[in-house]
Amino acid sequence: MGFQLKEAALKPSRRNAATGCVQEFEFKPRSGSEFQHLDEAELAFLPSSNGGLDLLIQRDTKARGLGSMLSEMAGTDESHYLLTLRGNETADELQKALSDVLR
């Protein structure tokens, strides 16, 4: 999709009661990617209450101008999304869902 994995850190998290931690996958957009407006995208997977898998997505936009620079400094340049996966999605369906969130 035009991203490169930067880091895959294991972090403590109260969101995962089973293990007390979550692995966050941090991606940076590659040069020429349609997602150049992003600074980074972070993904994490957690067990869903319905037996599926929740995909947590954090979308960080790049600072462009004074207003967005202030948003970045205040930490309000981040958007959070949740996709609940059933386990029968195709690769194309997953790619479209991620593209829609990250645009």
Side-chain angles (χ1 to χ4, degrees):
M1 289 182 52
F3 287 91
Q4 182 171 348
L5 181 64
K6 180 182 175 195
E7 185 178 13
L10 189 61
K11 298 183 178 182
S13 175
R14 287 178 272 152
R15 290 184 164 190
N16 189 352
T19 64
C21 61
V22 65
Q23 187 168 16
E24 292 181 0
F25 298 87
E26 183 179 326
F27 294 91
K28 294 280 192 182
R30 288 191 178 128
S31 179
S33 162
E34 69 177 296
F35 301 104
Q36 288 295 294
H37 62 285
L38 297 177
D39 186 35
E40 66 183 19
E42 292 183 18
L43 306 176
F45 299 90
L46 291 173
S48 175
S49 59
N50 67 3
L53 195 61
D54 284 339
L55 174 56
L56 306 174
I57 304 164
Q58 179 179 314
R59 176 185 182 275
D60 298 346
T61 55
K62 283 185 179 177
R64 295 174 190 237
L66 182 59
S68 62
M69 187 181 307
L70 293 173
S71 291
E72 187 172 315
M73 290 170 59
T76 57
D77 63 325
E78 300 173 353
S79 302
H80 296 89
Y81 301 88
L82 173 71
L83 292 176
T84 299
L85 307 176
R86 300 172 313 277
N88 60 351
E89 295 85 359
T90 66
D92 288 339
E93 290 171 331
L94 288 173
Q95 184 171 342
K96 180 180 180 338
L98 279 172
S99 290
D100 290 346
V101 166
L102 296 173
R103 282 198 178 110

